[in-house]
Amino acid sequence: MAANFDIYLAKFAVDPEQAHQALVATYDGQPVTPDEVEKRFGYQPLSLEGRAGVTVEEMYALDMPCCQCTLSVCRRSDGGVMTVLEHLEPQPIWFGSRSRIECLCDGVPTSVVQLNGKLAASWRQDKRHITIIGVRDLEEVTRIVADFNQPSNG
């Protein structure tokens, strides 16, 4: 599992679309809608849709060895790609031996990892964990955490 996710992160830094395709193929990704996520997982998926010019292009349910989770592929107005994974248990193994910092983003304990000029971050959001990949900087992580902390997004 850690090796597959390490490959995903390495591919993401070079070609996010190819990385998503590989992850979806490896973990039997099935396209889903937000309503299907709610029925299958018991929660409404968080969405970056409309935040800072971000559009959700695709959403998948993944059947990973560690958990079942959702993968949302998001595109910024400048063409940049960001991924949101929602899962029930923390998955620090996903980042392997990469150095990480633990910090507070909008008052929420957050784990942040550097990925070739971009960041990945994970935090607990209500009863699940969120991992975002492809974030520009710590300011953007904090803004996303703050947006997701709004009562209507839990």
Side-chain angles (χ1 to χ4, degrees), residues 3-149:
N4 286 341
F5 209 78
D6 190 52
I7 291 167
Y8 167 73
L9 294 173
K11 282 184 181 179
F12 186 93
V14 178
D15 187 345
E17 284 81 9
Q18 183 184 38
H20 294 127
Q21 290 171 8
L23 199 63
V24 166
T26 300
Y27 296 113
D28 193 28
Q30 302 296 315
V32 290
T33 66
D35 288 340
E36 291 168 335
V37 169
E38 189 165 18
K39 288 176 188 169
R40 185 171 178 175
F41 296 101
Y43 59 79
Q44 185 68 27
L46 298 176
S47 178
L48 288 172
E49 188 74 42
R51 299 169 199 265
V54 173
T55 302
V56 177
E57 291 188 334
E58 303 168 283
M59 186 177 288
Y60 297 93
L62 301 179
D63 190 13
M64 300 174 111
C66 59
C67 60
Q68 289 189 332
C69 63
T70 60
L71 166 82
S72 297
V73 179
C74 306
R75 185 165 309 272
R76 291 183 181 91
S77 57
D78 67 3
V81 176
M82 188 173 13
T83 299
V84 179
L85 288 144
E86 298 183 54
H87 40 101
L88 294 178
E89 298 295 326
Q91 300 300 330
I93 193 170
W94 286 356
F95 300 118
S97 61
R98 288 176 174 85
S99 296
R100 76 185 83 219
I101 61 167
E102 302 295 329
C103 57
L104 292 177
C105 293
D106 195 50
V108 177
T110 306
S111 179
V112 180
V113 177
Q114 181 76 37
L115 300 172
N116 297 337
K118 299 285 185 192
L119 299 177
S122 290
W123 69 93
R124 183 175 178 85
Q125 179 74 38
D126 297 320
K127 296 179 181 176
R128 60 190 182 270
H129 293 264
I130 308 300
T131 300
I132 53 175
I133 300 166
V135 186
R136 291 184 182 119
D137 54 33
L138 199 52
E139 183 179 316
E140 186 175 34
V141 173
T142 301
R143 192 170 46 251
I144 291 168
V145 171
D147 281 349
F148 284 168
N149 258 336

